[in-house]
Amino acid sequence: MPKVEMLAMLLAGGKGSRLGVLTNNIAKPAVPFGAEYRLIDFPLSNCSNSGITTVGVLTQYKPLVLNRYIGSGSSWDLDRHTGGVTVLPPYVKEGGGHWYKGTADAIYQNIEFIDLYDPEYVLVLSGDHIYKMDYSKMLEFHKEKKAEVSIAVLEVPWEETHRFGIMNTNQEQKIIEFQEKPKEAKNNLASMGIYIFNWETLRKYLNEEAERNEDSAGDFGHNIIPAMMNDQLAFYAYTFKDYWKDVGTIESYWQAHMDLLGDQSKLDLQDRKWVIYSVNPNRPPQYISGKAEVENSIINKGAQIMGRVKNSVLFFGVKVGRDAVIEDSVILPNSSIASGSHIKNSIIGRNVTIEKNSQIGVDSDSDQIKITVVGDEELIPESSQIKSGTVVG
């Protein structure tokens, strides 16, 4: 194999249990997003737009949909004779094998794949974040700082610091302390789960961790990065200031869709300078009847709208019957909402049938939004009343 300067390893094996019924049948990176995409489209498109043409995608939990979706990588211009995209599930080797125990263990089990390309740098990514980022600029920063490890960070609200790995830095952006999900944070620079490592350095620490501790969690945040920090390696924080969303919860997944709407959208999916690519099947055009009302919404191909849709995101194949009302909601592919139904502040899964005159998530008078979720393939009987905040599935 020809040598590459930087190779990307995309972690896409997560179950995404906090997304509940939305990931009962598919891996989290395969969850639909934005009426047209899946979560994994964002890091794959970022790689393609950044000029990174060798990508390993590490799969594990319910990988069938994700494997079929990625295919040869042609949708992201990653179908190359050398390099391109390679799906990497766990496998049994001469000395045995096991599931990926953690993020670092997933990389460790694929050292042979990385060594095929003999990269100078390895970019480690998560497969379930929503953002647009030029990784080549982060690599330039890494080189300028003569870093051994660079971690992409962004400022988060102080009340959310307990959810992230927090980086404490000096004036030169050198990381002097790492706090993994601290109860009391000293800073609000949160790790985005995007790392650039010098490959020889990372390889050494992965091997040492595996040899030293068979019971290790094999995690970057708990094992590898603290070990590197203890040895005083050159760590630097690359600050990212554009839109980024970890859609690991129902609330954040819903909010990310709401962020797409409005004249001042926080994430521009129409930007032709930085296209987010996806596998787009050929589908009939959307149909919006003369009596339909659509306000501030995203409606994908193949949708049929005969009712009222307000401030919502509808994926392909969604049907909205006469006098049905959809408000502040996300309707995933091929779901059908019959006439007279009213849906508000909800996420409706794939291939759901909601029979007529059903009320979903419309009962709350509180200022606090409670997201209602209906899982894939569910049948909601006629005149059902589903309270806000309920999970069906």
Side-chain angles (χ1 to χ4, degrees), residues 1 46 74 95 106 116 137 179 190 197 232 276 284 342 374 392:
M1 294 288 182
N46 287 340
S74 59
L116 282 174
K137 291 183 179 179
Q179 294 179 284
F197 295 96
Q232 298 184 330
I276 302 299
H342 189 176
V374 178
V392 178

Side-chain angles (χ1 to χ4, degrees), residues 158-175:
W158 282 93
E159 62 270 18
E160 294 185 14
T161 53
H162 67 280
R163 296 178 49 221
F164 299 94
I166 298 297
M167 309 294 150
N168 297 320
T169 61
N170 63 16
Q171 293 181 339
E172 285 73 43
Q173 295 174 276
K174 187 172 185 179
I175 299 171

Side-chain angles (χ1 to χ4, degrees), residues 152-271:
V153 299
L154 81 166
E155 293 186 8
V156 298
W158 282 93
E159 62 270 18
E160 294 185 14
T161 53
H162 67 280
R163 296 178 49 221
F164 299 94
I166 298 297
M167 309 294 150
N168 297 320
T169 61
N170 63 16
Q171 293 181 339
E172 285 73 43
Q173 295 174 276
K174 187 172 185 179
I175 299 171
I176 56 178
E177 185 181 11
F178 172 72
Q179 294 179 284
E180 176 66 7
K181 298 183 179 179
K183 291 182 180 179
E184 295 184 8
K186 299 177 183 178
N187 204 328
N188 68 334
L189 287 177
S191 169
M192 298 168 62
I194 300 169
Y195 311 100
I196 292 179
F197 295 96
N198 292 354
W199 173 231
E200 286 304 315
T201 301
L202 176 59
R203 197 180 194 281
K204 170 179 174 289
Y205 278 85
L206 291 173
N207 281 318
E208 288 178 353
E209 178 67 19
E211 292 169 4
R212 180 173 58 248
N213 184 4
E214 287 187 3
D215 297 325
S216 169
D219 185 75
F220 280 115
H222 286 102
N223 305 109
I224 300 301
I225 289 177
M228 290 177 165
M229 292 290 292
N230 287 340
D231 291 343
Q232 298 184 330
L233 268 61
F235 271 75
Y236 283 85
Y238 176 76
T239 303
F240 182 72
K241 295 184 178 180
D242 290 328
Y243 183 86
W244 178 86
K245 197 78 163 180
D246 177 356
V247 289
T249 65
I250 288 295
E251 290 75 17
S252 61
Y253 178 76
W254 176 85
Q255 185 59 57
H257 279 91
M258 297 302 102
D259 289 344
L260 297 177
L261 304 172
D263 294 335
Q264 300 298 321
S265 172
K266 296 180 181 179
L267 179 67
D268 183 7
L269 296 179
Q270 306 299 323
D271 183 3

Side-chain angles (χ1 to χ4, degrees), residues 117-178:
Y117 297 95
D118 190 25
E120 190 169 351
Y121 309 102
V122 169
L123 171 68
V124 178
L125 305 169
S126 295
D128 49 17
H129 296 157
I130 304 299
Y131 65 111
K132 298 191 293 186
M133 180 177 181
D134 188 343
Y135 302 132
S136 67
K137 291 183 179 179
M138 184 175 174
L139 180 59
E140 289 175 9
F141 170 89
H142 183 85
K143 293 176 180 177
E144 289 171 3
K145 294 293 185 181
K146 296 182 171 57
E148 291 172 279
V149 183
S150 292
I151 302 176
V153 299
L154 81 166
E155 293 186 8
V156 298
W158 282 93
E159 62 270 18
E160 294 185 14
T161 53
H162 67 280
R163 296 178 49 221
F164 299 94
I166 298 297
M167 309 294 150
N168 297 320
T169 61
N170 63 16
Q171 293 181 339
E172 285 73 43
Q173 295 174 276
K174 187 172 185 179
I175 299 171
I176 56 178
E177 185 181 11
F178 172 72

Side-chain angles (χ1 to χ4, degrees), residues 12-17 20 22-29 58-66 90 99-100:
K15 180 178 179 181
S17 56
L22 298 181
T23 53
N24 276 356
N25 303 308
I26 56 175
K28 183 180 173 185
L58 289 76
T59 62
Q60 181 161 276
Y61 172 77
K62 297 203 172 183
L64 180 60
V65 171
L66 196 58
W99 294 112
Y100 297 143

